Amino acid sequence: MNWNNLLDEATHHLQEYIRIQTVNPPGNEIEGARFFKRIFDAETIPCQVFEPLPGRGSILATLKGNGKKKPILLLSHMDVVPVEKERWAGDPFEGTIRDGYLYGRGALDDKSMGIVEMMALLILKRERVSLKRDILFLATADEETGGHWGIQWTMDHIPYLREAEYALNEGGCIILNKTGAADRYEISNGQKIVLQLQVKAKGTSGHASMPHSDNPNVKLIHALEAVTKWETPYTILPMVKEFFLKMAPKQPPDERKYFEDIEKGLRDPSFSARLTKNLVYNAMIRNTISLTILQAGNKANVIPSESTATLDCRLIPGFPKEEFLEEIKKRLGDDIEVEGKMEGKLIPPSPFNTDLFQAIQKFASENDPDCPVVPYLLPGATDSRSLRERGIASYDFCPFRLPEEEILRIHGNDERIALENLRFGMKMLVELIKEVAT
């Protein structure tokens, strides 16, 4: 295979894909589905577009095997989050290439994943690889707002999807250290539980020239300060303990003992302060609370009668929701109303004793010797929760090599992906599929 030509092809497709604006809301993912369909049709790979609601489309393509083993599902989503155009160095929907990087909304989340998964099907088809499994390509709508018109709809209405044994989706990746070497392969087999809350303060409206003590904005600000300053207690799951244990050998000698027993290590205040500065580590070891939306008032000289805020909370799986809510309400105070906006389900993690996970371990040992493959409790939410709920072993793992600071561009400004990651991602994905499906 000419990987230089394949990289050029993948790069061209990703640029085209990013130029299709699928910001959710409103989504318009149907145009992304049609984009994929044109490519699959040209390669004579059977595919079907589904449009449960006008403009909200998903696409399923199937590369047939002989059926001796159950299918593998390659999953991605087509919708992206909104942008602050004025804060980007260039047009976020142009797919500009600078200094070896392709910039654009969706470059990492999640259009690059969709392109390398599509390219994997194209490569396997062109090479006439004999498969024992069907390889399913599914690009969905609506992931960024819960998946109702995407993964949930497709799993409910396309029975064949539920026959998949494994799924590979966005999430973890190969983390690079400061020198650019692989530090760890992060594979998520489970994720935190979403709990979004709307909090509301009521008061007395009036003219802003005459301040009074019943201003709902002031009440809400004081209440939110108490909640957002709450240092939630540490809750360490076995998979998180294993994550840090496997990371221990790579730590400086004076830090190693803390990683080897993370629960004991966190009792040391200085180590605890250092560790929680890492946003990912901090999210893995405790319940988190982010203040995301504030709404109140519509005129500068009017005190409103009501103000609201949204708290995006992510709970450690198994942590009692009632206990968490009780503490939230206590810190907000009696004057503040609390209402649930969105609640996730407790879904058991996928097992690691599978062919697909072992294939990733084999790839890591051959390409990055002595680099640990670690279980990763995903702080965010992905479509995989809808697959695990139906018994499909799902792994959130993008076949990309990324430094931690690059990951922080996801949902941020100047989101980008190194072009070499497209080459690496295609190679790795094809190798993994050959390992488990031939």
Side-chain angles (χ1 to χ4, degrees), residues 195-197 224 227-228 287-293 309-314 324 328:
L195 178 63
Q196 292 178 349
L197 304 173
L224 291 172
V227 167
T228 54
N287 299 325
T288 58
I289 305 164
S290 288
L291 172 60
T292 55
I293 300 173
T310 299
L311 298 173
D312 189 314
C313 310
R314 306 295 171 113
F324 179 80
I328 287 278

Side-chain angles (χ1 to χ4, degrees), residues 192-208:
K192 294 178 79 174
I193 298 172
V194 180
L195 178 63
Q196 292 178 349
L197 304 173
Q198 184 176 74
V199 297
K200 182 185 297 183
K202 294 181 178 179
T204 303
S205 63
H207 201 288

Side-chain angles (χ1 to χ4, degrees), residues 14 17-18 20 22-23 77-83 88 92-93 102-115 144 170 400 409-412 414-417:
L14 182 55
Y17 191 18
I18 283 174
I20 301 169
T22 52
V23 174
H77 64 87
M78 295 182 286
D79 58 326
V80 298
V81 297
V83 298
W88 283 63
F93 298 106
L102 194 157
Y103 289 78
R105 175 58 86 221
L108 281 174
D109 183 17
D110 179 35
K111 292 190 171 183
S112 53
M113 185 76 168
I115 292 299
E144 295 291 0
E170 63 171 338
F400 301 137
R409 291 177 182 257
I410 292 174
H411 286 202
D414 292 329
E415 183 182 348
R416 67 184 188 177
I417 186 169

Side-chain angles (χ1 to χ4, degrees), residues 314-367:
R314 306 295 171 113
L315 306 189
I316 297 290
F319 192 94
K321 182 187 70 175
E322 294 75 16
E323 182 180 324
F324 179 80
L325 279 173
E326 185 179 344
E327 186 66 30
I328 287 278
K329 291 175 180 178
K330 184 173 78 173
R331 290 173 181 274
L332 286 171
D334 295 335
D335 287 343
I336 307 297
E337 299 176 9
V338 181
E339 179 184 347
K341 288 185 66 179
M342 177 180 176
E343 296 185 22
K345 299 178 182 178
L346 175 59
I347 301 168
S350 298
F352 275 147
N353 58 337
T354 64
D355 293 345
L356 181 54
F357 182 77
Q358 290 166 7
I360 298 173
Q361 285 186 311
K362 179 182 177 183
F363 182 94
S365 66
E366 292 174 351
N367 292 271

